[in-house]
Amino acid sequence: MTDNPATTKMRSNLRRIASGGKIQQIRSSTENGGETVAASLHHHIDEHTALLHRTFQNSDGQPLYEDERTWVRWPASFGYTSWQTLTSNPVNVLLVFVPLGIAFGASHGNPTVVFILNFLAIIPLASLLSFATEELSVKLGQTLGGLMNATFGNAVELIVSIVALKNGEIRIVQASMLGSILSNILLVLGCCFLAGGIKHKEQSFNSTVASTMSSLMAVSTASLIIPATLYAAMGSSKPTDTKTDNILILSHGTSIILLVLYAMYLFFQLKTHAHLFDEESEPEAGGDGGADGQKPEGHVLSPWAAGIALVIVTIAVAVCAEYLVDSIDSIVERAHISRTFIGLILLPIVGNAAEHVTAVVVATKNKMDLAIGVAIGSSMQIALLVTPFLVILGWAIGQPMSLQFEIFETVVFFLAVLVTNYLISDGKSNYLEGAMLLGMYMIIALAFYVYPD
């Protein structure tokens, strides 16, 4: 049926009026700051978000991981916590290298490929180890939790060093310990000062705590200087075997003293002078609990889940470390890279990857006391706990692990601690100080690259 001209004209006018009204509505919404468009957009997003949430909810609108039915709640809870854990850090995408590294290592593949795959695999494992530790430490309070975080943060270096010590790779162990300290006090702390200083111009931290840590680092420096100078002072006056035995006696005694000092420091930190370490966190604890509306840490994993995660990740790190260390000899021969450079630069970067990311993130949030605690506290634990423990362990299993480092390495360590102590003595930091620390680390890395074994 064909419309007459009058009907056609009427419909055309109605379309024009409707169009004009729509244009006027859009024009009005634009003049009012786009409120109508924004409201429509938010409504559209809310609809899609609600649809996404409904996928993981039961008929009552309750999340599946909170469902009353056990057979629904447990798998959903496992999937939810696993997803939250895996997405906790971007470096976890490298987890794909864990099965690859283990498979190539177990099949005795190309040593270079085995080294690279397991090198990349340990990075996300260190991240997961740090995440699980933080989740567990939240229940223990900030001071004890921070101590636990530093302890498990050094678990990667400890596992790699124990494997190397068992295989008689004394130089790898010594270089790894020294490199871990240098990586923390120069690379990690330098990145913290640089990233935090760019965002906040100047930052401050508890100078009393930093001074205590730096003093203990100076003592640990002396524990390495004395054996090296004693070995040089004995010269050719005594046979090499006699000098080595004397150095081992000195190293064993010094290690026991350092372990006692570290135990006293723990008592100082957790008991007698705990107020010095907690005073900076009290204003934050009394605040609104997150002015930016973020949830507090420690809400993803339960203590049991965090403990199980720590065990699983530690086992995975041990397996990857075993294949990593076994492939070092072939890397040294084929790539012409010294054992000292591998142990002092490459391995610490892998082991400190998680601590590095954590420290930089908290520094950009202006939490410099926590950043200082992660960087210097971890270095101090390596110097006063892990290294002496490895000396005692070598003594127990018949490996001649000592505190006698090469003169060049000892001088580098002394200069690094000296510069770091000078920069943190005023309790303030900025991006220029961070650049100084990073520059010094690059110089040291270049020096050890050309340094012969």
Side-chain angles (χ1 to χ4, degrees):
M1 178 178 176
T2 306
D3 293 335
N4 58 42
T7 303
T8 303
K9 184 175 182 181
M10 182 181 296
R11 288 182 176 175
S12 177
N13 290 335
L14 286 173
R15 291 193 191 99
R16 189 179 300 110
I17 292 171
S19 177
K22 191 70 174 179
I23 292 172
Q24 183 62 30
Q25 181 184 359
I26 295 174
R27 187 176 299 160
S28 175
S29 66
T30 304
E31 291 173 355
N32 291 332
E35 295 178 0
T36 304
V37 176
S40 176
L41 181 60
H42 284 301
H43 178 69
H44 183 71
I45 293 174
D46 290 340
E47 285 182 347
H48 281 266
T49 304
L51 180 62
L52 182 62
H53 280 295
R54 281 198 297 270
T55 307
F56 303 99
Q57 293 177 350
N58 57 23
S59 57
D60 297 329
Q62 189 179 29
L64 292 180
Y65 55 85
E66 296 178 0
D67 196 282
E68 296 179 356
R69 296 166 294 180
T70 304
W71 61 274
V72 173
R73 183 176 67 254
W74 284 12
S77 178
F78 177 78
Y80 173 77
T81 53
S82 299
W83 175 255
Q84 292 292 318
T85 302
L86 293 176
T87 57
S88 62
N89 197 313
V91 301
N92 290 341
V93 298
L94 298 177
L95 283 171
V96 66
F97 291 106
V98 175
L100 292 176
I102 294 175
F104 271 83
S107 61
H108 304 287
N110 187 303
T112 304
V113 177
V114 172
F115 180 87
I116 294 174
L117 290 178
N118 286 282
F119 182 89
L120 295 174
I122 290 179
I123 295 176
L125 291 175
S127 172
L128 290 179
L129 197 66
S130 176
F131 175 77
T133 305
E134 290 173 2
E135 294 289 307
L136 185 60
S137 65
V138 128
K139 304 291 184 182
L140 305 176
Q142 183 170 351
T143 302
L144 188 58
L147 175 64
M148 190 175 180
N149 192 12
T151 302
F152 278 96
N154 290 324
V156 175
E157 291 97 329
L158 181 60
I159 293 171
V160 172
S161 298
I162 289 176
V163 172
L165 184 62
K166 178 176 65 71
N167 295 343
E169 298 278 4
I170 306 298
R171 287 297 302 148
I172 292 293
V173 177
Q174 290 182 327
S176 178
M177 292 297 98
L178 181 59
S180 181
I181 297 173
L182 295 177
S183 174
N184 276 297
I185 64 177
L186 295 179
L187 180 61
V188 176
L189 190 61
C191 287
C192 289
F193 284 1
L194 182 64
I198 290 175
K199 186 173 182 180
H200 299 283
K201 192 173 181 180
E202 185 176 77
Q203 297 173 288
S204 59
F205 47 87
N206 191 332
S207 58
T208 304
V209 173
S211 176
T212 302
M213 291 182 175
S214 60
S215 298
L216 287 169
M217 285 297 299
V219 172
S220 67
T221 305
S223 69
L224 298 187
I225 292 177
I226 293 174
T229 53
L230 175 63
Y231 189 86
M234 287 189 289
S236 58
S237 60
K238 292 185 178 182
T240 303
D241 292 341
T242 303
K243 290 194 295 182
T244 302
D245 292 340
N246 291 341
I247 292 298
L248 285 176
I249 294 173
L250 174 63
S251 298
H252 297 158
T254 303
S255 297
I256 294 173
I257 294 172
L258 291 178
L259 290 174
V260 172
L261 282 177
Y262 187 74
M264 293 180 67
Y265 167 72
L266 292 183
F267 189 74
F268 179 88
Q269 180 186 28
L270 301 176
K271 279 289 186 181
T272 60
H273 292 70
H275 62 282
L276 294 177
F277 296 84
D278 291 336
E279 64 180 9
E280 292 297 323
S281 62
E282 288 175 359
E284 296 177 6
D288 55 9
D292 53 357
Q294 295 180 351
K295 293 181 180 180
E297 294 180 358
H299 64 284
V300 175
L301 298 179
S302 66
W304 278 104
I308 293 173
L310 284 175
V311 172
I312 294 174
V313 174
T314 302
I315 293 174
V317 170
V319 174
C320 292
E322 180 77 33
Y323 294 130
L324 181 73
V325 173
D326 289 343
S327 62
I328 286 179
D329 287 337
S330 298
I331 290 292
V332 170
E333 294 175 1
R334 298 186 182 188
H336 304 292
I337 300 176
S338 67
R339 283 182 173 82
T340 305
F341 182 80
I342 292 175
L344 198 136
I345 302 298
L346 297 183
L347 295 184
I349 289 178
V350 173
N352 293 328
E355 295 172 350
H356 197 159
V357 174
T358 301
V360 172
V361 168
V362 298
T364 57
K365 295 179 180 178
N366 205 23
K367 298 180 180 179
M368 287 305 297
D369 285 294
L370 182 55
I372 293 288
V374 171
I376 299 183
S378 180
S379 299
M380 187 183 64
Q381 193 175 72
I382 289 286
L384 297 179
L385 177 63
V386 178
T387 303
F389 169 77
L390 291 172
V391 172
I392 300 299
L393 180 62
W395 187 13
I397 65 177
Q399 293 289 352
M401 173 70 184
S402 70
L403 295 176
Q404 185 228 334
F405 289 68
E406 297 295 329
I407 293 293
F408 177 68
E409 298 168 2
T410 307
V411 171
V412 166
F413 181 38
F414 170 75
L415 293 176
V417 172
L418 179 66
V419 171
T420 303
N421 289 356
Y422 183 77
L423 291 180
I424 67 175
S425 60
D426 61 348
K428 297 180 180 179
S429 64
N430 52 62
Y431 72 89
L432 181 59
E433 292 180 348
M436 294 178 191
L437 293 174
L438 290 176
M440 185 167 185
Y441 184 78
M442 293 177 186
I443 293 173
I444 291 173
L446 183 61
F448 278 106
Y449 181 77
V450 300
Y451 180 73
D453 279 329

